[in-house]
Amino acid sequence: MTKEKQPLEEDIKKLQKIVEDLSGGKLTLAEALKKYEEGIKLAENCSQTLQDAERKVESLMKKDGKFLLKDFSEDEEGKD
Amino acid sequence: MPTLQENKHIYTVSQITLEIGVIFENTFGNGVWVEGEISNFKAATSGHFYFSLKDSASVLAAAMFVRANRELKFKLQDGIKVICFGKIDVYGPRGQYQMIVEKMEPKGIGARALAFEQLKEKLLKEGLFDAAHKRELPFMPFRVGVVTSGAGAAIRDILGILKKGASCVDVVIRSVRVQGEGAAQEIAQGIEDLNEFNKVDVIIVSRGGGSTEDLWSFNEEIVARAVYNSKIPVISAVGHQINTSLCDLVADCFVETPTAAAKIIVDKKNAIFAQLDSLRHEMGFSVSDIIGVLKNNLIALKNSIKSPLDRLHEKAQVVDDLSLGLNQNMRQLINITREKTLALIHRLEALSPLAVLSRGYSLSMFLADESVIKSPAQIKKGDKVKTILSEGSFISSVEEVSNDQRKTTA
């Protein structure tokens, strides 16, 4: 639960803004290329976040009013 | 009418009432089943229920005391048809008999089904199913809480789909019993715990397929309320049943199977991927467009710049064009003039006196001054005369002059 994935939505909004700016056609080539580079980087980050395979499956327990997480065994998995 | 006689037994009202009670006791003492429709239902402050059972022709007063009625799984109300079990009792103070109901079942529909309908009605009125209360699922739920049995098929299905389709998603399982006594409380507690834990983006409340009985916990009020009160959006996925559960109705989104619940998340991920792709393409196109426009501008600029030599050539060409035109016009003018002249010459030739001579006539004139001789009076013998023919001339001397036109001699 430490992975910071929250900015994904923000990043996509930023990306949409960049696309809008670019399609407006009012940018100089230098500005456009800078935005483009920024946009590609954002898109890469977002894709990476979504492709991340380091997932955790945990079981939530409650003991004395405190929560604890235990790894959940997925042995049974796959026999749909 | 028999007359009053001393040897007849005379009852007091209380005695006869008691006797009637005994008859009822002997006849219906083991309890009877009575079917009817509830009317005039009243719940007294004591908790006892008073009502009538009726059919098309008769009415039977009835009471169900608190000890018996707290076992009821459904709510009594006027108009519902029931089957009651109990004794028939005589109530002396009013001279009435009534049924003391021990057990009651709704007729036609099971007690549970009726209870479900009643609860559904109640929650509907309270607004638990209102669309306005339903929240959007998060843009991309990276942390999914699942309230289900840790050993069930549901969690296996969910984990399998997520692993295959959205491996970026973490899962927190709050394992609960999903059927049997106390399951509803555990499910509700699980939802509350995940809210308190507050580290998941969405909660899936789920269990795999089963009979209506198996799935009943998800129809309990406590579960419905826990889902309603959850601050985290809830997906209800209560297995394969035809009728929707109360949990489904309250949830922000519901699907029929645990697999379908997990697929919602996979679909979200895929949709974002597709969006990213299209954004990337749009960016590429925009940059190409900008470059294309610049290129075109450059070409246009290049074309608009001309060297002085180019200008000179341009002027020369204009002059060439003009002179070419001039020449053509001139030539035409000359041709026209020539044709006009020729025509005039032809006409002139036709009018020439020489043309008359060609037909055999001749013309005579004085040799000295070449004036034409028009009359014999002008000449005398010995004058030198020049005679012009069409093809030449000759000179002669006048021998004789006569006035006879016909006898002119040369």
Side-chain angles (χ1 to χ4, degrees):
Chain A
M1 290 297 126
T2 49
K3 286 182 267 184
E4 199 42 73
K5 289 165 176 172
Q6 220 56 355
L8 180 78
E9 194 170 359
E10 283 305 308
D11 280 356
I12 287 184
K13 273 186 193 149
K14 268 189 226 164
L15 187 54
Q16 279 169 327
K17 176 82 170 67
I18 287 173
V19 169
E20 261 170 52
D21 290 350
L22 277 174
S23 68
K26 282 176 189 156
L27 299 176
T28 65
L29 184 60
E31 285 166 336
L33 287 176
K34 207 178 144 205
K35 291 247 177 207
Y36 179 74
E37 201 181 334
E38 197 186 328
I40 288 296
K41 214 178 270 173
L42 275 170
E44 266 321 301
N45 284 345
C46 293
S47 294
Q48 287 266 307
T49 310
L50 289 168
Q51 269 161 346
D52 187 2
E54 270 184 51
R55 69 183 200 143
K56 275 191 211 157
V57 177
E58 292 163 306
S59 195
L60 182 69
M61 317 277 200
K62 202 177 184 184
K63 241 184 194 171
D64 310 322
K66 275 187 184 170
F67 289 113
L68 34 116
L69 287 168
K70 270 194 184 171
D71 281 346
F72 182 82
S73 154
E74 286 183 73
D75 297 341
E76 289 289 273
E77 210 184 314
K79 56 178 205 186
D80 236 352
Chain B
M1 189 164 177
T3 52
L4 292 171
Q5 287 184 26
E6 289 205 6
N7 62 341
K8 296 289 179 192
H9 184 80
I10 298 169
Y11 294 93
T12 63
V13 172
S14 293
Q15 280 170 341
I16 191 67
T17 302
L18 201 68
E19 281 298 314
I20 292 168
V22 170
I23 293 167
F24 282 180
E25 178 63 30
N26 290 341
T27 315
F28 308 119
N30 292 328
V32 285
W33 289 93
V34 178
E35 176 189 326
E37 186 187 310
I38 290 180
S39 67
N40 295 323
F41 175 80
K42 280 186 195 88
T45 45
S46 57
H48 304 321
F49 290 168
Y50 301 99
F51 52 95
S52 302
L53 288 169
K54 64 171 190 182
D55 61 16
S56 57
S58 309
V59 174
L60 172 65
M64 191 175 195
F65 299 120
V66 66
R67 176 183 45 78
N69 73 35
R70 70 181 163 214
E71 302 292 324
L72 277 178
K73 293 279 188 219
F74 61 99
K75 228 175 82 192
L76 287 197
Q77 61 199 39
D78 286 353
I80 60 174
K81 294 202 166 66
V82 292
I83 299 170
C84 302
F85 176 81
K87 291 177 181 177
I88 306 296
D89 186 40
V90 172
Y91 184 53
R94 285 218 194 134
Q96 277 183 346
Y97 61 93
Q98 62 180 5
M99 182 168 188
I100 306 299
V101 179
E102 295 291 333
K103 282 181 192 157
M104 192 189 288
E105 291 271 316
K107 185 172 154 56
I109 177 172
R112 207 164 224 187
L114 181 63
F116 172 76
E117 289 306 323
Q118 287 172 338
L119 178 58
K120 190 168 152 185
E121 183 70 25
K122 176 173 134 185
L123 299 183
L124 177 75
K125 276 186 188 150
E126 273 187 50
L128 263 72
F129 311 146
D130 282 1
H133 181 263
K134 302 210 184 289
R135 286 146 302 187
E136 289 248 338
L137 297 184
F139 180 72
M140 177 61 208
F142 281 110
R143 288 164 290 215
V144 176
V146 186
V147 177
T148 190
S149 161
I155 191 64
R156 275 208 322 270
D157 289 351
I158 290 171
L159 290 176
I161 297 288
L162 288 181
K163 188 176 192 177
K164 225 184 294 165
S167 56
C168 53
V169 170
D170 292 334
V171 182
V172 175
I173 299 157
R174 181 72 177 86
S175 185
V176 294
R177 286 186 295 140
V178 289
Q179 70 187 77
E181 202 64 32
Q185 282 73 16
E186 281 195 30
I187 295 164
Q189 188 62 51
I191 296 167
E192 280 162 27
D193 285 352
L194 282 174
N195 269 277
E196 197 185 327
F197 182 60
N198 201 21
K199 280 177 188 158
V200 297
D201 304 319
V202 69
I203 296 173
I204 299 174
V205 179
S206 187
R207 72 151 285 159
S211 68
T212 311
E213 295 291 307
D214 290 343
L215 303 175
W216 201 257
S217 304
F218 294 87
N219 279 330
E220 303 257 1
E221 184 169 1
I222 186 169
V223 173
R225 292 206 183 274
V227 171
Y228 184 77
N229 292 328
S230 174
K231 288 180 191 72
I232 299 164
V234 175
I235 300 173
S236 172
V238 180
H240 312 287
Q241 71 170 11
I242 300 151
N243 296 320
T244 46
S245 67
L246 290 182
C247 180
D248 287 341
L249 292 173
V250 184
D252 299 295
C253 159
F254 81 89
V255 286
E256 283 180 0
T257 62
T259 302
K263 276 193 179 140
I264 289 179
I265 291 157
V266 173
D267 287 349
K268 275 189 172 284
K269 191 211 79 175
N270 289 338
I272 296 170
F273 256 127
Q275 193 189 6
L276 280 174
D277 267 357
S278 88
L279 286 173
R280 240 189 301 227
H281 272 109
E282 272 183 65
M283 271 199 308
F285 285 139
S286 294
V287 170
S288 306
D289 278 353
I290 291 172
I291 291 172
V293 167
L294 288 175
K295 226 185 215 166
N296 285 340
N297 286 348
L298 194 63
I299 291 168
L301 280 172
K302 226 166 161 183
N303 287 342
S304 69
I305 296 173
K306 283 187 178 155
S307 71
L309 191 61
D310 282 338
R311 277 168 207 242
L312 199 63
H313 284 323
E314 219 172 61
K315 293 250 164 74
Q317 197 175 4
V318 172
V319 171
D320 283 349
D321 287 349
L322 282 174
S323 54
L324 193 67
L326 195 63
N327 282 345
Q328 273 173 348
N329 289 342
M330 204 51 207
R331 207 167 294 141
Q332 212 171 357
L333 195 66
I334 290 168
N335 283 341
I336 290 168
T337 313
R338 181 189 293 143
E339 271 164 32
K340 271 186 182 166
T341 311
L342 282 175
L344 279 174
I345 288 170
H346 280 303
R347 282 182 64 197
L348 205 60
E349 272 175 359
L351 291 174
S352 162
L354 294 175
V356 177
L357 293 186
S358 72
R359 299 204 302 263
Y361 296 95
S362 63
L363 178 73
S364 293
M365 58 184 82
F366 292 102
L367 185 61
D369 61 358
E370 289 199 339
S371 62
V372 175
I373 302 164
K374 294 174 178 173
S375 154
Q378 289 177 280
I379 52 171
K380 59 190 189 293
K381 191 177 172 187
D383 281 348
K384 296 264 190 242
V385 173
K386 185 179 182 182
T387 302
I388 293 168
L389 305 167
S390 76
E391 290 162 348
S393 64
F394 61 89
I395 296 164
S396 56
S397 301
V398 176
E399 290 288 337
E400 191 188 319
V401 178
S402 90
N403 285 330
D404 180 1
Q405 282 181 316
R406 307 269 173 206
K407 287 186 181 170
T408 304
T409 42

